[in-house]
Amino acid sequence: MAESDPISQPPPRVPQHVAIIMDGNGRWAEQRGISRNEGHKQGLESLRAAVRGANDLGIQWLTLYAFSLENWSRPKSEVESLMGLLEHYLETEIDEVMEKGIELRCIGRTDRLPPRIRDGVAAAVERTRGNREMHLIFALSYGGRAEIVDAARKLLRDAELGNVDPERLDEKMFAAYLYDPEVPDPDLLIRTGAESRVSNFLLWQIAYSEIYTTEIMWPDFREADLERAVQEYQSRERRFGLTSAQVSGRRGAKA
Ligand code: IPE
Ligand code: IPE
Ligand code: MG
């Protein structure tokens, strides 16, 4: 990620990168006496709304936690339904995604995805590569610890080949081994569905993200809710370990 000094700048009006844990589909459905899968289906509408909303707000990077490594242990029928919805999304949205100039990316252990889905994701990523209006990253078959382990594995291989000197390893060098090192760290992490936990999402990258949780279940989440989260973010002071006086002093010095 860009190594510019984050505390020497006033917080940008709009977060550059928003990451969302889209949670609550199952409970939303259960509350209505319908199947969890109906909740996931409705969640797709919220996903579309989040992409539209982020684009309208000028958010450059949007990462959506769509399926965790732990989610593979859900009932087979639910996993199949989620994969089907993903495929449906890619098929039905890709033209609009292209039109809007959005680039699709994917992070996770995608080798575990059914081949049809994996190919569909790869084709969508390929087709949208180089789009610059916004970057939409799907965390699919994703685990934060797995990402760190996968990075460590690649790093160790490079060390074995003599390409890396262990003494020179620092955070910046390590981060270059993560799934997509071009992506800046999230400024804002949103979790819907009334839970306050990270659930193995972007563990490395959220070190200094602002966290926003809401009671709203994902199928009810709309553009206005994203806007509210961004407004709350804008009211926060990001201190990165410094005192408030230091942060405003730095800003004053810059102004
Ligand atoms: C989020 O909703 C979607 C995925 C995890 C794939 P859930 O399915 O976790 O919904 P709840 O948390 O059971 O309500
Ligand atoms: C996190 O939600 C994963 C996704 C939103 C894809 P979960 O529903 O799987 O998380 P837990 O089990 O409540 O921690
Ligand atoms: Mg959940």
Side-chain angles (χ1 to χ4, degrees):
M1 103 113 289
E3 281 294 294
S4 61
D5 178 1
I7 49 183
S8 63
Q9 300 286 335
R13 237 180 58 73
V14 171
Q16 188 187 17
H17 181 183
V18 174
I20 309 183
I21 302 175
M22 309 183 286
D23 193 30
N25 295 352
R27 279 164 291 154
W28 181 91
E30 279 153 19
Q31 283 159 11
R32 286 161 179 75
I34 54 179
S35 72
R36 292 179 58 86
N37 291 346
E38 284 300 317
H40 295 314
K41 219 188 243 175
Q42 199 53 42
L44 215 51
E45 281 310 311
S46 309
L47 194 157
R48 293 189 179 101
V51 174
R52 268 197 313 270
N55 196 17
D56 290 348
L57 286 167
I59 291 161
Q60 294 286 298
W61 301 83
L62 177 67
T63 300
L64 300 175
Y65 202 4
F67 194 83
S68 74
L69 277 176
E70 289 76 18
N71 291 151
W72 285 118
S73 305
R74 290 193 178 191
K76 195 165 168 270
S77 62
E78 183 164 343
V79 171
E80 278 170 2
S81 150
L82 282 163
M83 292 298 143
L85 283 173
L86 177 67
E87 198 179 12
H88 177 73
Y89 175 83
L90 291 174
E91 279 169 13
T92 55
E93 294 299 296
I94 187 73
D95 288 339
E96 198 184 326
V97 163
M98 267 314 277
E99 247 166 56
K100 284 186 169 157
I102 298 173
E103 182 184 63
L104 286 187
R105 297 183 180 212
C106 185
I107 52 171
R109 287 190 174 163
T110 45
D111 53 329
R112 281 189 67 174
L113 293 170
R116 218 179 56 235
I117 310 287
R118 201 174 51 222
D119 293 349
V121 171
V125 166
E126 195 46 51
R127 185 166 164 207
T128 62
R129 193 186 303 284
N131 285 349
R132 281 289 166 268
E133 172 68 18
M134 189 177 112
H135 311 274
L136 174 60
I137 304 152
F138 282 102
L140 265 183
S141 186
Y142 176 87
R145 286 185 172 178
E147 177 173 22
I148 293 168
V149 168
D150 289 349
R153 185 181 296 112
K154 280 187 267 172
L155 178 71
L156 287 169
R157 283 202 196 112
D158 266 359
E160 248 172 26
L161 293 169
N163 297 333
V164 167
D165 173 3
E167 295 311 315
R168 294 193 48 233
L169 180 65
D170 58 14
E171 291 176 14
K172 190 177 172 199
M173 197 189 286
F174 188 87
Y177 286 88
L178 295 170
Y179 290 140
D180 193 341
E182 281 177 17
V183 183
D185 290 343
D187 302 294
L188 173 61
L189 171 67
I190 298 172
R191 181 170 187 145
T192 63
E195 306 288 5
S196 301
R197 55 177 173 257
V198 168
S199 301
N200 203 11
F201 190 39
L202 301 176
L203 296 183
W204 175 278
Q205 297 89 336
I206 61 171
Y208 267 103
S209 303
E210 294 296 325
I211 300 177
Y212 176 91
T213 58
T214 168
E215 303 281 309
I216 299 172
M217 298 290 148
W218 180 249
D220 286 331
F221 195 84
R222 287 295 176 270
E223 286 98 321
D225 303 304
L226 179 66
E227 239 177 279
R228 254 187 290 283
V230 168
Q231 275 164 10
E232 157 85 29
Y233 165 85
Q234 288 167 336
S235 74
R236 307 244 183 115
E237 180 181 58
R238 303 183 76 188
R239 288 193 287 280
F240 298 95
L242 302 189
T243 66
S244 191
Q246 281 177 303
V247 174
S248 36
R250 285 200 173 202
R251 259 187 236 134
K254 278 258 152 188

